[in-house]
Amino acid sequence: MARLSVNIDQIATLRQARLGKEPDPVTAASIVELAGADGVTVHLREDRRHIQDRDLRLLRETVKTKLNLEMAATEEMINIALEIKPDMVTLVPEKRAELTTEGGLDVVMNKEGLSKQISVLKNGGIAVSLFINPEIDQVKAALRVGADYVEIHTGRYADAANKEEGEIEFGRILDATKAASKLRLGINAGHGLNYINIKKISKISEIEEFSIGHSIISRAVLVGLDKAVREMTELVKVNQAVLKQPL
Ligand code: PXP
């Protein structure tokens, strides 16, 4: 049975909108775990637009399942990972101007650099996953550079404009997954997965872990809104009732 790692970056995005203390991704991580998630994922971006160094430090202390750190393969991030020691690092390409991670890593073209970076991380006791597009060449290169896992980019499947396009992208994911499985790489998948498109892809038995963030946090906002408004309505009413009483 596949595992679910919940990406809580968007909780931090909401907090950073006010540069305040809430909602706290560290509290969110505990709720995610209490709800049955198998892991917590955060992406510490170079521009710190959502997750902060403080979050990562505290999450390392509080996460009881599995902490997956998504990060660019830079010297700064590798040093942070070696200090914090997440259970797994997922290396992703990172561009400053992008809204979210856009494509997979080009492992084929960066074999030498990645091999060195992966061995530094693995020597530090951290499992390493590479976020790649569903392409056989990238899967093979991931094995060659010493990765423990690949995370198959599901974004093009998730964003497919129609059924035919979706089928083609699904086929690519299936082929890449089968190839990774033959090479005995661990297999994760994620990006753009939601409550609808997960149904088909979760049938691929070789995928060990799904990394899902935006759709879960979006749903939480909507399904939690009713309760939150009721609680505030109650407080507003209670205060009015108190004011009406003689002092
Ligand atoms: N996997 C990777 C490598 C990502 O960069 C992201 C987005 O941060 C995800 C999974 C989760 O994607 P989403 O938020 O669309 O579920």
Side-chain angles (χ1 to χ4, degrees), residues 145-190:
V145 296
D148 303 293
Y149 288 83
V150 285
E151 181 182 331
I152 307 284
H153 193 333
T154 54
R156 286 210 301 249
Y157 158 75
D159 296 340
N162 52 50
K163 206 161 179 267
E164 292 74 53
E165 215 180 285
E167 289 294 336
I168 292 169
E169 294 304 334
F170 183 80
R172 289 195 173 120
I173 293 170
L174 200 55
D175 291 347
T177 303
K178 301 271 179 215
S181 176
K182 264 194 198 147
L183 297 175
R184 299 189 183 282
L185 282 162
I187 307 167
N188 303 326

Side-chain angles (χ1 to χ4, degrees), residues 5-10 41-43 45 50 68 70-71 90-93 98-103 130-132 151-155 158 189-194 210-217:
S5 183
V6 178
N7 181 315
I8 56 170
D9 293 349
Q10 299 295 44
T41 294
V42 290
H43 184 171
R45 293 188 70 103
H50 39 56
N68 172 34
E70 279 175 21
M71 57 177 229
T90 300
L91 295 177
V92 299
E98 67 191 0
L99 290 177
T100 178
T101 315
E102 284 169 358
L130 302 181
F131 185 55
I132 56 166
E151 181 182 331
I152 307 284
H153 193 333
T154 54
H191 213 287
L193 296 177
N194 61 31
F210 289 96
S211 171
I212 309 180
H214 187 82
S215 69
I216 294 176
I217 307 307

Side-chain angles (χ1 to χ4, degrees), residues 73-89:
T74 62
E75 202 183 328
E76 182 205 6
M77 288 300 155
I78 288 169
N79 287 337
I80 291 174
L82 290 173
E83 188 200 325
I84 302 288
K85 299 223 187 274
D87 301 291
M88 184 167 77
V89 154

Side-chain angles (χ1 to χ4, degrees), residues 1-7 32-33 35-41 65-66 189 193 195 198 208-213 215-216:
M1 246 199 331
R3 302 184 298 267
L4 171 67
S5 183
V6 178
N7 181 315
V32 156
E33 287 190 313
D38 305 289
V40 173
T41 294
T65 52
K66 181 180 155 193
L193 296 177
Y195 291 78
I198 188 66
E208 293 165 44
E209 188 169 288
F210 289 96
S211 171
I212 309 180
S215 69
I216 294 176

